[in-house]
Amino acid sequence: MAAPTGLNAPLSITFLGAAALFITDGQTRLLADGFFSRPPLLQVAFGRIQPDVPAIRRGLERAGIDRLDAVLVSHAHYDHALDAPEVARRCGALLAGSESSANLARGWGLPERQIRAVLPGERLVFGAFRVTFLPAAHARPNLAAGEIRRPLASPARASAYRDGGCFTLLFEHPAGAFLVQSSAAFLPGALAGVRADASLISLAALGRRPEAYRRAYFEELAGRVGARVVCPIHHDDFLRPPGEEPALMPRWMDDTPAALRSLEAWAALRGVEVRRLPPWKPVPLLPTQA
Ligand SMILES: [Zn+2]
């Protein structure tokens, strides 16, 4: 197992609900995904949705975010990417993601100089962070598959926010490495050769998959990369912002308790620590910082 290095770097992570995470080493400030608006279910299902700018402002304030170097978008579904362009605009950040995510940003009017469309396997450097956009799969069911081929203006149907291809985000830093998997699926072998001290993995829709699939997912995303800490993300009810304690996804959406039990059982077997991230609170992530 690769030993983490640079034990003194103050790397912290703040869970913002769904798959949104604020990551900083005190110098460089990164956001994975960007989702603060919580359009109600009926609007998502039958109406049109758009970024809720006051909710974005409140969310950024609550998380203590005023400036960002980059917003890194895992895929262009609304519960990941809806607010990323406005967050990038307010925080003077680069928005990096697939061509579909770039088209969301263009539709919102983010200047082209703040947009970076990346291809699977591409790596960007922000301060001491190296961020690699590794190819990834999307969980089933995928209710909005395909590409966003033109700038997408809002309001728009939730189904117009097509995934545009998924990335596993790999963060490498002198303090250690971690990965963020924002959708509960895997491409077998996609992480060959990748090492990470911690894995932050989506549980959304995993409660509906067979136990064998869940175990294979944990093994691919955390086991084979050598993670010693695994943090569930996207396990909370994304129809509302997380409170002090995140509410789990409602039972009609997913059986999150079953997915959490599987994760605990797998982790106990493998000697991996399961760490639940408190919403809105920066916490050290890497095993040596615990
Ligand atoms: Zn998705």
Side-chain angles (χ1 to χ4, degrees):
M1 191 175 290
T5 53
L7 306 183
N8 298 321
L11 202 65
S12 83
I13 193 147
T14 311
F15 175 57
L16 306 174
L21 299 156
F22 173 49
I23 297 145
T24 183
D25 62 359
Q27 301 281 322
T28 303
R29 299 156 69 86
L30 304 172
L31 191 74
D33 285 346
F35 184 50
F36 296 99
S37 306
R38 306 287 164 153
L41 182 61
L42 283 177
Q43 205 178 336
V44 171
F46 303 112
R48 289 167 179 268
I49 59 172
Q50 62 190 332
D52 177 343
V53 173
I56 295 170
R57 183 174 41 73
R58 285 194 303 273
L60 290 171
E61 267 173 24
R62 186 168 182 184
I65 301 169
D66 53 3
R67 182 186 62 78
L68 287 166
D69 295 279
V71 181
L72 311 160
V73 183
S74 67
H75 65 292
H77 278 166
Y78 91 92
D79 54 329
H80 298 263
L82 179 67
D83 301 333
E86 172 61 13
V87 171
R89 190 193 70 73
R90 298 179 85 88
C91 298
L94 182 76
L95 183 150
S98 66
E99 186 64 29
S100 291
S101 296
N103 275 329
L104 263 188
R106 292 177 184 122
W108 189 249
L110 191 68
E112 203 61 38
R113 66 175 183 281
Q114 279 176 258
I115 301 172
R116 175 70 184 267
V118 297
L119 294 171
E122 248 185 287
R123 177 177 290 162
L124 302 180
V125 173
F126 304 99
F129 288 93
R130 288 196 308 180
V131 181
T132 310
F133 292 75
L134 295 163
H138 194 279
R140 292 195 310 216
N142 182 344
L143 299 178
E147 310 282 328
I148 302 170
R149 297 189 187 281
R150 282 180 290 281
L152 178 66
S154 58
R157 302 293 300 259
S159 58
Y161 293 83
R162 296 176 182 273
D163 69 73
C166 288
F167 296 118
T168 301
L169 300 173
L170 174 66
F171 296 82
E172 293 171 290
H173 185 277
F178 61 95
L179 64 79
V180 176
Q181 175 65 29
S182 72
S183 193
F186 61 92
L187 291 177
L191 300 178
V194 169
R195 304 297 296 170
D197 301 292
S199 292
L200 293 84
I201 60 172
S202 168
L203 296 192
L206 197 63
R208 301 281 181 226
R209 302 306 303 273
E211 178 66 19
Y213 184 87
R214 296 179 204 160
R215 295 231 168 186
Y217 172 63
F218 304 144
E219 201 54 53
E220 286 281 334
L221 268 297
R224 75 178 299 160
V225 302
R228 288 191 284 147
V229 174
V230 62
C231 307
I233 58 170
H234 211 345
H235 57 308
D236 56 318
D237 180 1
F238 62 87
L239 295 172
R240 51 185 159 151
E244 296 293 319
E245 281 292 317
L248 295 184
M249 231 177 271
R251 208 54 178 258
W252 62 265
M253 267 188 180
D254 194 15
D255 188 354
T256 307
L260 282 167
R261 280 196 303 274
S262 295
L263 178 60
E264 295 280 358
W266 173 85
L269 217 58
R270 293 293 250 112
V272 171
E273 179 196 344
V274 177
R275 201 180 290 171
R276 304 277 280 269
L277 299 169
W280 306 110
K281 191 168 169 274
V283 289
L285 175 66
L286 298 171
T288 49
Q289 297 181 293

